[in-house]
Amino acid sequence: MKKVTLSLAVIAGLSMYSTANADSLLEALTDGKMSGEFTTTYENRKVDKEISPWGINYYSNTSYAVGSFALKYETGVWNDISLTSKFRAYTTLFEEDKNSTTSYGTGDASERFREKDGSDRTVDLEELFLTYTPMNNISIKTGRQFISTDWVNKTHDAVRIDATFEDTSLEAIWSARTGRIYSRDYRPMDKFNKNDGVYKLGLTQKFTENISATAYDAIFPDLRDIIGGKVNLKYGATSIRAHYAASKEDTVTGLKDSNLIDFMASTSIAGFSPYAGYIKVDDDAAFPGYANSAGEIIVPFEEGDYVYSKGAETIYLGVSKSIGDLSATLLYGMTEYLDGTNNKLDMDETTLWLGYPVTKDIKANLGYTMVNEVDGSAHGDYDQLNITLAYTF
């Protein structure tokens, strides 16, 4: 596989340890667990205005189905070390337009399942990492792994350290590459910030059972720092998050410093789980949320294209409910933002997510999104349907 230097180093490290205690290593390998899944995902999108700059489709009507097969193997623990490996293979099942040229390849599916080096769907490593736990309160993961934290999100070739000392928790991350490798999305792993990647250091202090605070710094060498802090409050079934982040740009980016505030509250009432949030971005500059960070976890929407735009102000309200085996979430939100000439535009987005276990081993998920945009926006109104079936074994 290409672009998996960290992961190959993991295997090399394990091989060196094997000479020290081959019998124990063999036992760890034979005690491992194998699992896998077959998935099919279908997506259909209809837009009011198709955008085709430079002769390629950037935002267009699409309809496609892609299948994938994933196989995962987790070793037992040996000398506090374990290895997790997982690969995923993709194949195109259906495309309404097989010849459309998108920004990432050919055919409808290439907008979300990007092609690798101009070829068709591919096989790639979804996970390949070592976990080292020298003590119960310390975990070190090295290799390709899924990470979900502020400004480092999705699939990463990374080293991650998590440690907890009584009421204090430490998070330290270095990521060299990022991408997306799972059933509904494939974006090949690629270097972020050339060879420098991103460093993240976070510290969380738990003051009481109901109050904790986090401070962090995500360092993108020669590009920017994203410095932030958040407070989490709990009272019974109610949780409140208050979050502030500031981007400090290096001169080479040509971008202005920016900041945002992020509030979210959730609770549980009579079997319903309502939640609401508010996000506000600096009026003078956009925040580096999507293209200029290594991932984000603030945006709650299926799309949410303008949440990090200059001057963007977003309000959202959602509710989740389980009805027997059916789980349902309905989310509605509105965003006002400034365009390149400081005109104020707005949009609203509504999404319904449904999940249902068809059998013990087969699960179905459906998402339907409607986006309404004001006249003068880039691509007008659109709606999107996605359905994913997964058989696990």
Side-chain angles (χ1 to χ4, degrees), residues 171-246:
E171 173 191 63
I173 297 170
W174 174 66
S175 173
R177 297 180 181 86
T178 183
R180 301 183 186 183
I181 306 173
Y182 34 86
S183 61
R184 273 201 61 209
D185 209 347
Y186 175 67
R187 305 187 186 189
M189 301 295 292
D190 205 355
K191 293 179 182 178
F192 183 83
N193 190 18
K194 298 181 181 178
N195 291 317
D196 294 327
V198 57
Y199 299 81
K200 164 86 183 288
L201 183 65
L203 188 68
T204 298
Q205 181 65 39
K206 182 179 177 181
F207 298 102
T208 70
E209 289 297 318
N210 301 316
I211 303 173
S212 65
T214 300
Y216 64 80
D217 187 1
I219 304 166
F220 303 81
D222 300 323
L223 288 181
R224 66 182 56 83
D225 276 39
I226 301 180
I227 302 167
K230 62 174 69 174
V231 176
N232 292 290
L233 307 175
K234 286 186 177 181
Y235 183 77
T238 300
S239 298
I240 298 173
R241 178 186 72 216
H243 180 197
Y244 173 83

Side-chain angles (χ1 to χ4, degrees), residues 366-377:
L366 178 147
Y368 179 67
T369 299
M370 296 183 297
V371 175
N372 299 306
E373 298 200 19
V374 70
D375 291 341
S377 65

Side-chain angles (χ1 to χ4, degrees), residues 48-98:
D48 277 1
K49 294 187 294 183
E50 293 192 316
I51 301 175
S52 300
W54 315 291
I56 58 178
N57 293 328
Y58 167 69
Y59 210 85
S60 59
N61 295 324
T62 55
S63 182
Y64 63 84
V66 171
S68 76
F69 168 70
L71 192 63
K72 183 174 183 176
Y73 176 71
E74 301 169 88
T75 71
V77 178
W78 169 71
N79 283 357
D80 301 318
I81 299 171
S82 62
L83 174 68
T84 299
S85 61
K86 183 180 182 180
F87 77 86
R88 186 175 291 273
Y90 299 91
T91 186
T92 303
L93 302 174
F94 159 77
E95 287 179 306
E96 189 171 58
D97 188 346
K98 297 181 180 179

Side-chain angles (χ1 to χ4, degrees), residues 8-317:
L8 294 177
V10 167
I11 296 176
L14 187 60
S15 298
M16 288 188 294
Y17 278 112
S18 68
T19 61
N21 196 334
D23 290 339
S24 296
L25 177 59
L26 180 61
E27 184 178 347
L29 293 173
T30 56
D31 286 346
K33 297 184 298 182
M34 186 82 75
S35 60
E37 66 176 13
F38 290 93
T39 71
T40 300
T41 187
Y42 167 80
E43 182 165 299
N44 181 283
R45 181 171 62 195
K46 297 295 182 184
V47 301
D48 277 1
K49 294 187 294 183
E50 293 192 316
I51 301 175
S52 300
W54 315 291
I56 58 178
N57 293 328
Y58 167 69
Y59 210 85
S60 59
N61 295 324
T62 55
S63 182
Y64 63 84
V66 171
S68 76
F69 168 70
L71 192 63
K72 183 174 183 176
Y73 176 71
E74 301 169 88
T75 71
V77 178
W78 169 71
N79 283 357
D80 301 318
I81 299 171
S82 62
L83 174 68
T84 299
S85 61
K86 183 180 182 180
F87 77 86
R88 186 175 291 273
Y90 299 91
T91 186
T92 303
L93 302 174
F94 159 77
E95 287 179 306
E96 189 171 58
D97 188 346
K98 297 181 180 179
N99 301 311
S100 63
T101 303
T102 74
S103 303
Y104 308 106
T106 302
D108 282 353
S110 63
E111 283 198 346
R112 191 175 293 273
F113 292 86
R114 301 183 180 180
E115 296 180 1
K116 197 170 187 178
D117 302 326
S119 62
D120 200 355
R121 302 289 84 78
T122 188
V123 178
D124 212 339
L125 289 169
E126 183 172 346
E127 295 178 325
L128 183 60
F129 62 88
L130 276 178
T131 302
Y132 177 52
T133 53
M135 293 181 283
N136 290 335
N137 60 331
I138 298 176
S139 171
I140 303 171
K141 290 185 178 181
T142 304
R144 182 162 298 178
Q145 56 192 286
F146 185 85
I147 297 176
S148 184
T149 185
D150 291 298
W151 318 117
V152 184
N153 192 34
K154 308 300 183 185
T155 307
H156 288 265
D157 286 343
V159 178
R160 176 173 185 167
I161 302 171
D162 290 290
T164 301
F165 304 95
E166 295 183 349
D167 293 327
T168 303
S169 298
L170 173 71
E171 173 191 63
I173 297 170
W174 174 66
S175 173
R177 297 180 181 86
T178 183
R180 301 183 186 183
I181 306 173
Y182 34 86
S183 61
R184 273 201 61 209
D185 209 347
Y186 175 67
R187 305 187 186 189
M189 301 295 292
D190 205 355
K191 293 179 182 178
F192 183 83
N193 190 18
K194 298 181 181 178
N195 291 317
D196 294 327
V198 57
Y199 299 81
K200 164 86 183 288
L201 183 65
L203 188 68
T204 298
Q205 181 65 39
K206 182 179 177 181
F207 298 102
T208 70
E209 289 297 318
N210 301 316
I211 303 173
S212 65
T214 300
Y216 64 80
D217 187 1
I219 304 166
F220 303 81
D222 300 323
L223 288 181
R224 66 182 56 83
D225 276 39
I226 301 180
I227 302 167
K230 62 174 69 174
V231 176
N232 292 290
L233 307 175
K234 286 186 177 181
Y235 183 77
T238 300
S239 298
I240 298 173
R241 178 186 72 216
H243 180 197
Y244 173 83
S247 68
K248 303 298 182 182
E249 300 289 331
D250 287 358
T251 56
V252 68
T253 69
L255 302 175
K256 294 181 179 179
D257 293 350
S258 184
N259 60 73
L260 63 78
I261 56 174
D262 158 43
F263 295 98
M264 199 274 283
S266 63
T267 191
S268 180
I269 304 172
F272 291 87
S273 299
Y275 59 99
Y278 173 78
I279 307 165
K280 178 68 175 73
V281 173
D282 194 324
D283 288 337
D284 294 327
F287 198 88
Y290 291 116
N292 297 318
S293 74
E296 61 79 37
I297 58 173
I298 293 176
V299 175
F301 304 110
E302 180 76 23
E303 298 298 323
D305 292 337
Y306 302 104
V307 171
Y308 293 111
S309 298
K310 180 173 68 172
E313 189 170 15
T314 301
I315 299 173
Y316 61 88
L317 178 65

